[in-house]
Each structure stands twice: as structure tokens, then as C-alpha cells.
Amino acid sequence: MPDGSNAAPASRRSVVVQEFTNSVLDPNEKMLGPVEDGGTIIANTAPGCWGPMITPSLRGGHEVTKPVYVEGAEVGDGVAIRIRDITVTSIATASGHDSSPEGFCLGDPYVAARCPVCDTVWPETHIEGVGQESVKCDACGNAVKPFEIVHGYTVTFDETRTVGLTLPKEAAETIAKDADHYSALPDESRQHSILNFAPSDMPGTLIRMRPFMGQLGTCPSMPMPDSHNAGDFGAFLVGAPHDYAITAEQLAEHKTDGHMDIDAVRAGSILVAPVKVPGAGIYMGDMHAGQGDGEIAGHTMDVSGSVTLQVEVVKNYPLDGPVLFPLEEDLPPLAKPFSEAEKAKGQRLATKWGVSEIEPLAPISVIGTAANLNDAIENGLTRAAKLLDVTVAEIRNRATVNGAIEIGRAPGVIQVTFLAPLAKLDAVGLGDYAREQYGL
């Protein structure tokens, strides 16, 4: 869709996405669609993180879908994304804690991998054999490994996609010999499956599955490696020695924080993302089979999967980053809606002490990102204060007595989750999403 050269095609009620970026989100590239306001986007996503990380020709840490143009979405608006379904299609995946060997990149191993023998940046590569030397440079045959697994695992999933089990060396190597099949790589994906590495450092570990989207959001307003569309990873672009270097001011202006790794961004939740380019450019990827808060190993179980979204334009959205309406079960205890019994007790207190009205409240989770967690908290608090048109001090109090600060990803993605005055959410067009989500 719209690249300015031709008249825009008619919008569609649903758009099926089967194409991927080269790991760069570029607002100058033609978008798919358009999808109508209120329409549906269906996609088969490729694994993020490890597969793209060992595929030097890709120019970011993930392989996300091409952005979709949303009819009626203008700069300064938001798009509400209802996540209708997330289904894991991979039979197995591999992951682990990483290191970056010296000499295999130009400043950033996620963005500018290089072959140290022939000095090619973004070299084309192929697979030979199994293990961490299996990715070979097409030009010189050298093993190119911008990343190594320090401690890792291969995990396979049961037929119902509810649990996984990590495998011993022999089983991991059997899967590695048919890696693309077991990872269910989409046909248009260009990545090498991380299953080729066959890590097996903690076999026999049973794991629960709880799939969610690590990447979901809108296109930034300047070209940016997909994994760096956030305040923490984006900080690596500031003053970088490669083609995607930017300034701190550019990062703050153009990013949309689509790379969150927040485990509550799962089926049934509602995400509202900022619009910084005409048509918004909805994209997704980096599906995770499950992850604890913080993604403290740096990576988790990246999988292929199918995703169904419904998108709706929110006019005059006041923030430069996302907000989330999680499932009620994913809310911190103090941020859950009050029960009727609790409200009745509160009303008795109000009557006793002459309080004329108890303020109606609703849960909301405001995302904050920055180079480190402390700064990310400040970013989230500032955004929440702007959203509600109150002071940061008030947000600090509300998040303390009626919420929590949650860690999405170390080093710098957080959620300021709290009960907000419903009237304040109504004033910025978000109140009805809270009513819908929590039955208020």
C-alpha cells in the first residue's frame, strides 16, 4: 500500500500477511493492505532472536512481518490492536544465554554482522552440518557466528502446545538435521533455524507454554532495525559505526516501542500503539512460547506461529508509546478491578466518613522504555502522567497503592500498571477499551 506513487487501492476487511522484512522497519517501503478501520490482520510469523541472530544477511535481531497500512490512521492517532489468537506452529525450538565473539560484527552483532576472513558485512551464508560452526560464509567458507550460545537448550512441544521438554544431545542433533521442518519456518522466511546449533545443556526440563508476541506495534518514522525499535536496544544505535546509526534525539522521536517482550501481550489482551507514519504500519513477530518477567537470559523460546489481530483507529492518541489492557489474570494483585464485595465495603467507609463519591477506576498498563530499567520507569511514569493529565507524583502514588512496576525485559522495558480514574481514560478515548476488557 501507499508509497505515494499511485492512487490507493480500496481497503479490505482482512489482510493475510506472508511476507517479511529484511529485519529493518522502513517507512519508505511500500506497506501491505490497506486494511479497513476495524478490520482483521492474519499472519504466519517467523521466529525472532536466535534464528535471525545467526543469519548475518539480516540487518536486525528479528524477522518481522511487512507492515500493514490501516485505513484512516493518521500521524498523532493510535491503533487499538485486539489480539484474537496466537497459536504456536513450531514443533521445536532452541535458545539460550548468548555471547558475542570478537571480530564478527561492525559495532553491533544484531545489526551489522561481518565475516572476519573476507571482511564482508551482511554476508550471505549457508548451513553445513550441525552445531555452532554450522553457518558458513558463501564467499569464503568461513564459519560466521556473530553470536554463540553459552548455555542453551533444545525444546520440543506436545501436540496440544501446552508443555515443552528439553532434549539430550542425540535428540537435539536429530532435530537439527531437519531444522526447518521442526521450527516450521514460513516459506518466505530467510533465517537459518537456531535448531541447527543443537544446544543441549539442560535436558529433561519440563516447561509450561504461555505464548505471546515479543514484537507487536506500528512502524517507526525512520528506518530502524526491528529489534532496536525500543528505548533499550535502540540506545545501541546512537553513534553506532554502521549504516543505521542515529542520534538520541532521533531515537526518541521516531521509535514506537514495538519490541517489548512483555509476556502479557498475548491472546485476549488489547494493545494501543502510537501512529508515527500515515497508515500506522502494523507489524508483528518474535513470538515466544513462554517467558518469565525480565527475559533475564536475554532470550527465550522463539517460535513460528499464526496470529489474528483486529485493528481499530483511536483518534488523537496523546502518547508516543504503547499502552496495554492485559487479561485480568495477568494484572498485579493491587491493579485488579474491585469486586462487588470490595466496593460494598468501600461504600460503607464512604458513608461513615462523609465521602460523597468513590472514584470509578479501571486497570491500564503504560509501557516505558529506556537504556536501563531506572530510566525506563521514569519514561513510563512520565507517559502515564501525560495520558491522565496529572503529575508524575500522583502516578507514583497510584502505582504504589493500586498497582505495580513490572519488568518486561532487562535492560529497559517496564510496565506501569495501575488502577486509573475511568473518567481520565474516557477523556483520551480509552475508557471503553477498559470497560470491554474488564466488564466494567
Side-chain angles (χ1 to χ4, degrees):
M1 177 41 222
D3 59 359
S5 59
N6 297 300
S11 60
R12 304 176 62 182
R13 289 186 294 278
S14 62
V15 172
V16 178
V17 181
Q18 302 184 74
E19 300 174 58
F20 301 95
T21 68
N22 69 340
S23 298
V24 173
L25 292 162
D26 187 346
N28 303 307
E29 293 286 331
K30 186 174 182 179
M31 295 184 190
L32 303 178
V35 66
E36 70 179 20
D37 184 1
T40 298
I41 301 172
I42 302 165
N44 188 22
T45 65
C49 288
W50 271 109
M53 285 162 51
I54 63 165
T55 310
S57 62
L58 295 177
R59 304 186 179 202
H62 297 131
E63 191 178 24
V64 299
T65 57
K66 284 191 174 180
V68 175
Y69 191 103
V70 180
E71 194 69 35
E74 300 174 314
V75 175
D77 293 339
V79 175
I81 304 169
R82 294 178 175 89
I83 306 176
R84 298 302 192 190
D85 180 69
I86 296 175
T87 299
V88 174
T89 55
S90 291
I91 302 167
T93 191
S95 190
H97 183 56
D98 73 80
S99 69
S100 300
E102 191 172 345
F104 285 93
C105 72
L106 186 64
D108 186 334
Y110 288 98
V111 174
R114 66 183 284 268
C115 175
V117 173
C118 64
D119 204 32
T120 303
V121 181
W122 302 302
E124 294 294 335
T125 51
H126 61 278
I127 296 291
E128 289 182 19
V130 169
Q132 300 205 54
E133 304 288 324
S134 62
V135 178
K136 307 289 189 181
C137 178
D138 285 358
C140 69
N142 181 61
V144 181
K145 48 181 183 179
F147 291 93
E148 290 180 328
I149 294 179
V150 175
H151 182 278
Y153 51 90
T154 297
V155 56
T156 188
F157 308 118
D158 80 313
E159 293 81 359
T160 67
R161 299 300 193 270
T162 55
V163 299
L165 183 67
T166 60
L167 300 176
K169 184 175 186 290
E170 183 178 357
E173 290 181 348
T174 296
I175 283 177
K177 292 171 183 175
D178 198 4
D180 289 2
H181 165 72
Y182 282 98
S183 61
L185 281 185
D187 293 333
E188 300 300 319
S189 172
R190 294 175 52 206
Q191 68 178 262
H192 302 311
S193 170
I194 189 55
L195 286 168
N196 288 289
F197 274 24
S200 57
D201 294 319
M202 56 178 206
T205 300
L206 191 63
I207 297 171
R208 291 188 180 92
M209 295 180 68
R210 193 169 176 270
F212 69 97
M213 300 309 296
Q215 284 256 27
L216 180 61
T218 51
C219 188
S221 48
M222 71 176 294
M224 191 175 293
D226 51 19
S227 57
H228 291 35
N229 182 24
D232 54 352
F233 274 73
F236 301 146
L237 300 176
V238 176
H242 52 69
D243 290 354
Y244 298 99
I246 59 176
T247 66
E249 292 75 19
Q250 287 175 315
L251 177 64
E253 178 183 352
H254 296 289
K255 70 180 175 65
T256 60
D257 289 337
H259 181 207
M260 295 179 289
D261 285 335
I262 289 173
D263 63 353
V265 183
R266 63 189 186 108
S269 66
I270 303 172
L271 178 73
V272 185
V275 176
K276 294 193 175 181
V277 297
I282 302 296
Y283 74 94
M284 69 201 89
D286 193 29
M287 183 186 294
H288 295 177
Q291 173 202 296
D293 279 0
E295 196 181 19
I296 205 63
H299 309 286
T300 185
M301 299 172 288
D302 302 297
V303 289
S304 301
S306 61
V307 185
T308 302
L309 311 173
Q310 187 176 17
V311 296
E312 181 176 272
V313 176
V314 179
K315 301 306 292 183
N316 301 314
Y317 178 68
L319 294 188
D320 66 340
V323 299
L324 180 68
F325 294 94
L327 294 172
E328 185 169 341
E329 64 194 77
D330 291 347
L331 293 168
L334 296 182
K336 293 181 185 292
F338 287 106
S339 67
E340 292 305 316
E342 288 172 320
K343 290 178 183 177
K345 292 176 181 178
Q347 189 56 56
R348 287 195 290 271
L349 281 173
T351 301
K352 177 179 178 180
W353 292 99
V355 178
S356 60
E357 183 181 2
I358 297 177
E359 183 176 55
L361 301 171
I364 193 168
S365 191
V366 179
I367 311 306
T369 77
N372 60 68
L373 289 173
N374 285 339
D375 289 346
I377 290 170
E378 293 301 321
N379 177 244
L381 293 170
T382 301
R383 283 175 169 172
K386 182 176 181 180
L387 182 73
L388 302 188
D389 191 26
V390 299
T391 63
V392 169
E394 179 173 335
I395 297 298
R396 289 180 181 276
N397 281 331
R398 290 187 181 275
T400 299
V401 301
N402 274 342
I405 302 298
E406 303 173 273
I407 299 174
R409 176 184 64 241
V413 178
I414 62 93
Q415 300 167 255
V416 182
T417 308
F418 62 103
L419 289 171
L422 191 53
K424 293 283 190 179
L425 296 181
D426 283 334
V428 291
L430 299 182
D432 285 344
Y433 294 109
R435 292 182 179 89
E436 171 189 338
Q437 188 73 329
Y438 306 113
L440 303 174

